[in-house]
Every structure is written in structure tokens, then in C-alpha cells.
Amino acid sequence: MLLYLILFIIVFFFDSSLRKAPVKRQKTAIIFISILFALIFALRGVEVGTDNPNYYLRYNSAIVSLESIFSAKYWFLNEPLWEILVSLKNYDISYEVFNLIYITICLLLLYYIVKDTKFPIISFAMFFYCYYYFSCFNIMRQALAALLGLAFLCAISNKKNIWAILFLVAASLIHRSGVFLLLFFIISRINISRKIAYLAIAASVLFVSLGLDFQIFPFLDMSSLIDYYGAGTVKQFSSYLDERVSGLNIFGQISYWSLIILKVLLFILITNNTKGNLSSYHKFWLIGIVLIIVTSNFAWLFRLSIYFLLPSIVVIPNIFDNNRKQLNTIIYSIIFVIFIGSLYGNAEGVVPYYLNF
């Protein structure tokens, strides 16, 4: 944990000192910090990360051959690109090196995404504050698929259709939930105003307040899943099936919903400074906000929001203005509180932090 907080200070220092620097210098800083991040990620202990022990055991289990990957009738549903990465163990590549390859791919995608933003160093810092520790360290496959999804969105915005298709296919073959990126095509062609966006957020709050989530999502009942999938499969993912806020005391529930309110406030603050209809990035961020509200009691569904929340690392920096220090301070204060609030009480093996030297 101490090491992670030190990294946070380092990133905050680079971010604060380089906002007015030329873009080329910001990109150089991003490369330097990325190398540091990659080493820290690769050398973490096996016990660090909710899913990391499962990834470790899977990597060090049976041999995975290319023939077995593509021999199944519906091989494309078995996330073959991830299986190809896992097959690196056949060449006596250690799990630490596998992690290094994985995070390098993630950071290269991130560089592709942020390099053309108004303040690339802020976009990179946003990824570090909101996703690096909480997603890459845990839901590795889905985090990579989400980055591919954002790269897909960037390619569409830059009218690079071939690259967009490649990113879309890759995301779907890394994690099956990547097919949700097909919604990007549909949503990008729908005009959404700020008024509609705010009404959608209000409707999602009403949806949860009336308990409609427990009426709409009954398939997350544990006994029903065991009957359908079998006890073994359900046990593997049982940590995601529990009600997200069950067991929390009053203080815990207030803290949890305070973070959601801050995220909504940040969205409103950013979109209030936009003119006309929301951009594609804003629209996907809106969907992410709605998802974190309506799935707040269901951690499994909550994971889908990463695909739609991630575009915020492009949107938020573009609102920054070196001549509007007060707005910048407010935005960063909210982000900092969300970061600290999310870090507090983080369990499931994500903390403490150890290195394998």
C-alpha cells in the first residue's frame, strides 16, 4: 500500500508540473512512468489482486496448445486471444514475464489513446488514479478488453475504420463481454443532449430507490445459478454474486453512495461546460454512470461499466484550461476524493502490496 501511495505522489507530481509543458515533453514523461508501472505490475506478489491467484494457477496448470484453442466448434467464444497469451507458458516464460507482456500491451494501447488528447499527461494520470490499480490488478482480461474498446472508439473518431474493426474483434476475443462494444456503433449515431443525460441519471436513481433492480436481475440469485451452471463454476465467481452493499453498516453505505454521488457530480460538472449534444465519449461515459447506479447492488453486472466509464480519461482532460485554475482545482479535488474513497477499505487481496524479488 505504501508503495502504491508513493507512486500516486510521483504521478501527481509529474501531472501537476507538466500540464503547461509541450505535448512532446508530456509524452516522454508518460513513457518514463509507464516503464516504472510495468515493472511494479510484473513484480507484484501473487496474492495481490482479487483474481490474480486464479490467473496464476491457470497459467501454471495444464499446457495450452494452439490446436486445442481452435479445435472447439465455437472456439471464438472461448476467448482465444487470451488463451494464446496464456500459451506463452509452453515456452518456459515465467508468470512475472507474462504479467510484463500483459501490462506492456495495456500501456501501448493507453499511449495510442492519450497521445492526441489536449493534455496527454492528465489522461494518463486519470487512468492511473481510476483504473490501473482497481482494474488491471484484478479483472485483467476485461481491463485489456476495455482498453481495446476505447482504442476502437478513438479509431472511429479518427475515421480509421480498419483499425476500429481490428480493435473490436480483438476485444471480443480477449473477453466475451467485448461484444458490448457493438453498442458503440449504435450509440454514436444517437443524439443525446445534456437534459436527456441528466434525466437518465435521475431515472437510474429512481430505478434503484424503488428496488426495481431486484425485480429485473433475479437471474443473479445464487441457487438459480448453481442449478444452471453447476456449483463449481458458480463458486469460482461467487465473490461477484454477492449483493454489493449487503453487510455494510450505515457509515459504509453512506460512504459507498457518496462516491457514486461524486462521480455523478463530476460528470455534470464536465458536461455543463460542453455545448450542443454530447460527444461519443460523453455518451459512453453517461452509460457508465447509469450502470454504476443501476447495478450498485450487483457486483457482477457492475464490471460491465468499465467499458463505458473508461472514455472519461479522454473527456475530462479536454475540459482543463490552464487559465481556469478554479475549475481545474474543483475537478481534481473530486477525483482525489473518489480515488482515496475507493482505496479505503479495499479488500479481496488487493492490498497489502508485496514485490517478488
Side-chain angles (χ1 to χ4, degrees):
M1 173 62 77
L2 178 60
L3 178 58
Y4 184 67
L5 291 177
I6 292 173
L7 281 175
F8 172 82
I9 294 172
I10 292 174
V11 174
F12 187 82
F13 170 77
F14 272 100
D15 183 27
S16 302
S17 60
L18 292 176
R19 289 179 201 168
K20 296 182 180 181
V23 171
K24 185 177 181 179
R25 189 178 174 188
Q26 293 185 35
K27 292 180 180 178
T28 302
I30 289 173
I31 294 173
F32 172 79
I33 302 175
S34 295
I35 294 172
L36 180 62
F37 281 4
L39 292 175
I40 294 297
F41 184 93
L43 297 174
R44 62 178 171 154
V46 173
E47 69 282 0
V48 178
T50 309
D51 290 352
N52 197 38
N54 291 331
Y55 285 120
Y56 177 80
L57 291 174
R58 175 74 177 86
Y59 189 79
N60 289 287
S61 60
I63 298 297
V64 177
S65 65
L66 293 179
E67 182 181 356
S68 65
I69 293 173
F70 295 103
S71 61
K73 184 176 181 180
Y74 298 104
W75 57 268
F76 50 88
L77 295 177
N78 295 323
E79 298 157 343
L81 280 186
W82 182 260
E83 292 299 312
I84 289 174
L85 280 175
V86 173
S87 68
L88 291 173
K89 64 184 176 184
N90 300 344
Y91 305 98
D92 295 324
I93 293 176
S94 68
Y95 184 66
E96 288 76 16
V97 175
F98 166 78
N99 273 337
L100 183 61
I101 293 171
Y102 164 83
I103 197 62
T104 299
I105 294 172
C106 288
L107 292 171
L108 286 173
L109 283 170
L110 181 63
Y111 186 81
Y112 169 81
I113 292 164
V114 308
K115 64 183 177 65
D116 295 325
T117 58
K118 186 177 180 181
F119 296 98
I121 191 68
I122 299 179
S123 292
F124 184 86
M126 283 292 304
F127 176 80
F128 176 78
Y129 298 154
C130 302
Y131 299 100
Y132 171 77
Y133 191 66
F134 306 106
S135 297
C136 288
F137 270 68
N138 300 289
I139 51 175
M140 289 170 59
R141 285 184 303 131
Q142 199 165 2
L144 177 53
L147 277 169
L148 284 164
L150 184 52
F152 162 78
L153 181 56
C154 290
I156 287 179
S157 300
N158 294 322
K159 297 182 179 179
K160 297 179 179 180
N161 295 329
I162 294 179
W163 278 106
I165 294 172
L166 290 175
F167 287 137
L168 173 62
V169 172
S172 301
L173 298 181
I174 287 285
H175 198 282
R176 273 172 282 184
S177 63
V179 297
F180 282 97
L181 297 175
L182 291 172
L183 292 173
F184 284 15
F185 278 119
I186 301 173
I187 298 169
S188 62
R189 288 164 174 75
I190 300 175
N191 292 327
I192 299 178
S193 65
R194 286 181 295 169
K195 183 178 180 179
I196 294 176
Y198 300 158
L199 286 174
I201 293 173
S204 64
V205 173
L206 182 63
F207 176 86
V208 174
S209 300
L210 295 176
L212 295 179
D213 51 336
F214 291 101
Q215 302 299 321
I216 301 297
F217 307 137
F219 57 88
L220 288 183
D221 173 73
M222 184 71 75
S223 60
S224 299
L225 284 168
I226 290 176
D227 291 339
Y228 188 81
Y229 292 105
T233 301
V234 173
K235 182 179 179 181
Q236 181 181 359
F237 300 102
S238 59
S239 62
Y240 299 114
L241 297 174
D242 296 329
E243 293 179 15
R244 190 168 179 82
V245 295
S246 62
L248 292 179
N249 56 26
I250 296 299
F251 176 77
Q253 292 191 30
I254 292 174
S255 299
Y256 175 72
W257 279 100
S258 294
L259 290 178
I260 293 181
I261 292 171
L262 283 174
K263 292 176 181 179
V264 172
L265 178 61
L266 184 62
F267 175 82
I268 293 174
L269 183 65
I270 298 298
T271 54
N272 192 50
N273 286 275
T274 61
K275 297 180 180 179
N277 293 319
L278 301 183
S279 69
S280 294
Y281 294 102
H282 287 91
K283 286 184 284 190
F284 302 134
W285 187 17
L286 168 64
I287 294 174
I289 292 292
V290 170
L291 278 174
I292 64 174
I293 296 173
V294 301
T295 65
S296 56
N297 291 314
F298 298 92
W300 189 310
L301 291 177
F302 174 83
R303 292 175 59 169
L304 295 177
S305 65
I306 184 176
Y307 287 105
F308 303 100
L309 290 173
L310 196 54
S312 65
I313 72 171
V314 176
V315 173
I316 294 176
N318 284 336
I319 204 66
F320 271 72
D321 189 330
N322 288 325
N323 297 318
R324 300 171 68 180
K325 294 183 179 180
Q326 185 176 4
L327 176 62
N328 296 351
T329 302
I330 294 173
I331 293 173
Y332 244 93
S333 297
I334 294 175
I335 293 170
F336 181 78
V337 173
I338 292 174
F339 167 78
I340 296 299
S342 301
L343 196 62
Y344 174 76
N346 199 0
E348 301 294 344
V350 180
V351 292
Y353 198 106
Y354 296 104
L355 294 180
N356 278 338
F357 287 113

